[in-house]
Amino acid sequence: MADKYTKAIRLADVPMDKGAMNRAETGLSQLDHPLGGGLVSGSVVLIGGDPGVGKSTLAITACAAFANGDRKVLYVTGEESLQQIRMRADRLGVARDTLMLLASTDWDHIESEARDSGAYVLVIDSAQTCRIPGLTSIPGSVEQVREVAHRSRQLATDTHIAIVLIGHSSRSTELAGPLVLEHFVDTVLDFEHDGRSSLRTLRTMKNRFGEAGELGLFEMTAKGLVEVLDPSKRLLVARNAKASGTAVVATVEGTRPVLVEVQALVGRPSADVPPRHFVGVEPVRTSMLAAILQNNGLDIYNRGLYVNTGAGYRLIEPGADLGVTAAFASSLLKQPVNENTCVFGEVGLVGQIRPVRHPGRRFEEALRQGFTRVICPQENVDEAPEGVEACGVASVRDVLAELF
């Protein structure tokens, strides 16, 4: 630990412990990818999300997969009994001899068991149920949760145990949510769903050992969480390629390319304030794109506008702008986009099309999914691989000319 040095030393002279900073795959590729390739020993990971999204199911599934590699895992539950955890593991078919269980909310007890167990991974479900002896506040309060995070950091540093904290999002003013924990941990993963589909998205919000913005995709089934190994294929499974008002956009989450269908519906002109209903896209940016289209010759802004994404997937990067733009234009003009055409690009306020990062990966993913024509920023055309017709565009008007 840094506090044992009495004066500054050269970077090259810092001793490296052989047990520190090793990375091990969990056995779930859709978890390893957001983690940056696996769990780093001595790190603290936070998995946050709304109650009922499946965080505990993800945790026990990952524990079992990891324990299958002959590494000891200690799973601490403060919300369920050991019998309930056993029933869940049996139902999921993930029982493992190297998976150890502990039902406790007392931090001193948890820390003692973790040090004595020889576990490589410690999972605490959840951080908000833990109680620090000596603190008078209730478990889940800001004071308690901060101290749990601080002591987790110390335990991970001392023992090289990889610690995973489960944190429930909370709207209560008395209970602390994952935001309180984020400053103390190395990696923050957000487990989310839209409430309408069976898909669950795991996104990296922070990672000291990898890129933020990475993505893992799961599907909740009767047998528990199942990894979606080909996200693009899953998100396009219900696509109607011949319908107007739809477009496929090649987006990138972190370093991972994903194809997503964007659906739009443009209603009739309205004398009143026109309705807006956007799912899976950022509302302010989507309204801006409608205004840009209006400025470029499409009578759209005084109409009711509706946008939805495939399986409720949340589009968060600017490269998805052309997908929304194309879907709006297709709906208004009642012309379907060519079924072999995919789009990507950022739209500026004056209608210019800006280049985006990782164009090569977007082209390759489009080709892998059978799209042979891609409308993209002019500056990104040169990275198109053989087999893809790249149509470079510089403005929204160029896009409209290429779509149909």
Side-chain angles (χ1 to χ4, degrees), residues 139-179:
S141 65
V142 171
E143 182 184 25
Q144 290 275 359
V145 170
R146 280 180 175 168
E147 189 63 22
V148 167
H150 174 62
R151 297 199 185 190
S152 296
R153 173 77 277 157
Q154 290 181 315
L155 177 60
T157 302
D158 289 346
T159 63
H160 305 315
I161 295 174
I163 299 178
V164 178
L165 302 175
I166 305 299
H168 301 305
S169 298
S170 173
R171 296 177 179 87
S172 168
T173 57
E174 296 180 354
L175 298 180
L179 284 175

Side-chain angles (χ1 to χ4, degrees), residues 75 77 80-87 101-104:
Y75 184 94
T77 175
E80 300 177 273
S81 68
L82 296 183
Q83 290 75 21
Q84 289 173 316
I85 298 296
R86 171 64 189 271
M87 289 174 61
L101 303 179
L102 174 66
S104 179

Side-chain angles (χ1 to χ4, degrees), residues 155-289:
L155 177 60
T157 302
D158 289 346
T159 63
H160 305 315
I161 295 174
I163 299 178
V164 178
L165 302 175
I166 305 299
H168 301 305
S169 298
S170 173
R171 296 177 179 87
S172 168
T173 57
E174 296 180 354
L175 298 180
L179 284 175
V180 175
L181 296 163
E182 289 183 1
H183 300 295
F184 295 90
V185 302
D186 300 303
T187 303
V188 179
L189 304 179
D190 187 23
F191 202 40
E192 60 184 33
H193 72 131
D194 69 342
R196 300 179 298 115
S197 76
S198 59
L199 288 181
R200 304 289 190 271
T201 305
L202 190 65
R203 278 193 171 92
T204 312
M205 311 307 293
K206 166 188 174 182
N207 193 354
R208 288 189 177 127
F209 311 114
E211 288 216 25
E214 296 289 4
L215 169 79
L217 203 63
F218 295 84
E219 188 150 19
M220 185 66 78
T221 70
K223 296 182 178 180
L225 280 175
V226 176
E227 295 185 271
V228 178
L229 301 179
D230 191 342
S232 296
K233 183 178 180 180
R234 172 62 182 84
L235 292 170
L236 297 177
V237 68
R239 174 184 175 230
N240 182 353
K242 299 187 182 301
S244 60
T246 75
V248 175
V249 59
T251 184
V252 168
E253 297 278 358
T255 59
R256 186 175 199 175
V258 181
L259 301 191
V260 184
E261 181 189 27
V262 180
Q263 299 177 339
L265 177 62
V266 178
R268 295 180 178 178
S270 172
D272 301 320
V273 177
R276 300 280 193 268
H277 187 66
F278 305 139
V279 177
V281 292
E282 207 282 314
V284 173
R285 191 165 189 87
T286 303
S287 294
M288 181 196 76
L289 292 173

Side-chain angles (χ1 to χ4, degrees), residues 291-329:
I292 293 170
L293 282 172
Q294 181 78 26
N295 248 10
N296 283 270
L298 291 188
D299 182 22
I300 187 174
Y301 201 68
N302 65 334
R303 299 169 179 261
L305 300 177
Y306 307 86
V307 176
N308 192 18
T309 55
Y313 184 90
R314 187 162 62 95
L315 287 170
I316 59 176
E317 66 115 7
D321 285 355
L322 273 194
V324 178
T325 302
F328 273 149

Side-chain angles (χ1 to χ4, degrees), residues 16-98:
M16 288 298 293
D17 191 311
K18 292 182 178 180
M21 301 305 293
N22 291 325
R23 191 189 292 272
E25 294 181 352
T26 65
L28 297 178
S29 64
Q30 299 304 300
L31 175 57
D32 287 335
H33 194 82
L35 286 171
L39 272 174
V40 175
S41 60
S43 66
V44 182
V45 176
L46 169 65
I47 300 178
D50 292 332
V53 70
K55 297 184 299 297
S56 295
T57 300
L58 172 63
I60 195 69
T61 303
C63 283
F66 198 82
N68 198 36
D70 295 328
R71 287 190 174 96
K72 288 185 179 180
V73 179
L74 176 59
Y75 184 94
V76 179
T77 175
E79 302 180 345
E80 300 177 273
S81 68
L82 296 183
Q83 290 75 21
Q84 289 173 316
I85 298 296
R86 171 64 189 271
M87 289 174 61
R88 186 199 299 263
D90 287 345
R91 178 175 63 85
L92 299 176
V94 297
R96 299 288 185 271
D97 290 339
T98 51

Side-chain angles (χ1 to χ4, degrees), residues 104-146:
S104 179
T105 58
D106 183 280
W107 176 261
D108 287 348
H109 182 204
I110 294 170
E111 181 174 349
S112 176
E113 287 293 317
R115 289 180 181 273
D116 293 341
S117 66
Y120 188 95
V121 179
L122 167 65
V123 177
I124 299 178
D125 187 8
S126 68
Q128 286 134 314
T129 62
C130 287
R131 178 180 57 85
I132 303 295
L135 297 184
T136 57
S137 52
I138 63 170
S141 65
V142 171
E143 182 184 25
Q144 290 275 359
V145 170
R146 280 180 175 168

